[in-house]
């Protein structure tokens, strides 16, 4: 029987981000066996995790039930939460780069 490439299977089935924390640099992501049995390549036993979350799963700081629930939730990041004041911050940076004082910047931004 041919050995299954469980890493390939997992990346075909699940999004290429850590199922627990959302880290998304695919080159460093790992495929964990939820039950801890490396000889069980069943797709339902696999989850994509960053190295830190993988270790936390291995030592039971993250439960198997939690990992399965989050993995199967198909969450999407809400980038608007991070970008809500990005325009204002960019404007302040541009004004600082133009040599304006903090007092002048404060007046211009509060308008």
């Amino acid at each position: 029987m041919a050995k299954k490439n469980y890493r390939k299977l997992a990346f075909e089935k699940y999004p290429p981000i850590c199922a627990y924390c959302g880290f998304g640099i695919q080159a460093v992501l790992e495929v964990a066996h939820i039950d801890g049995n490396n000889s069980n390549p069943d797709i339902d036993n696999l989850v994509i995790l960053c190295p830190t979350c993988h270790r936390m799963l291995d030592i039971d700081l993250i439960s198997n039930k939690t990992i399965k629930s989050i993995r199967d939730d198909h969450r999407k990041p809400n980038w608007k939460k991070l970008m809500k004041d990005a325009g204002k911050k960019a404007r302040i940076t541009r004004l600082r780069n133009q040599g304006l004082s903090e007092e002048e910047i404060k007046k211009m931004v509060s308008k």
Side-chain angles (χ1 to χ4, degrees), residues 4-17 26 30-33 41-49 71:
K4 291 184 181 178
N5 182 339
Y6 63 85
R7 182 174 172 84
K8 183 178 178 187
L9 288 172
F11 277 94
E12 286 173 353
K13 170 83 175 176
Y14 304 116
I17 61 170
Q26 189 168 345
E30 301 175 352
V31 176
H33 294 82
D42 185 65
I43 192 67
D44 291 328
N45 185 47
L46 303 176
V47 62
I48 298 172
L49 297 172
R71 178 200 64 193

Side-chain angles (χ1 to χ4, degrees), residues 2-79:
K3 183 177 177 183
K4 291 184 181 178
N5 182 339
Y6 63 85
R7 182 174 172 84
K8 183 178 178 187
L9 288 172
F11 277 94
E12 286 173 353
K13 170 83 175 176
Y14 304 116
I17 61 170
C18 175
Y20 190 74
C21 74
F23 182 79
I25 300 176
Q26 189 168 345
V28 298
L29 292 173
E30 301 175 352
V31 176
H33 294 82
I34 296 172
D35 67 2
N37 179 358
N38 292 349
S39 62
N40 179 3
D42 185 65
I43 192 67
D44 291 328
N45 185 47
L46 303 176
V47 62
I48 298 172
L49 297 172
C50 70
T52 301
C53 292
H54 190 172
R55 298 312 163 266
M56 292 192 326
L57 174 68
D58 287 347
I59 62 172
D60 296 328
L61 288 175
I62 304 171
S63 73
N64 293 355
K65 182 179 177 183
T66 298
I67 283 293
K68 282 184 178 183
S69 173
I70 291 173
R71 178 200 64 193
D72 297 337
D73 190 24
H74 304 294
R75 298 170 297 150
K76 293 193 180 203
N78 181 357
W79 295 111

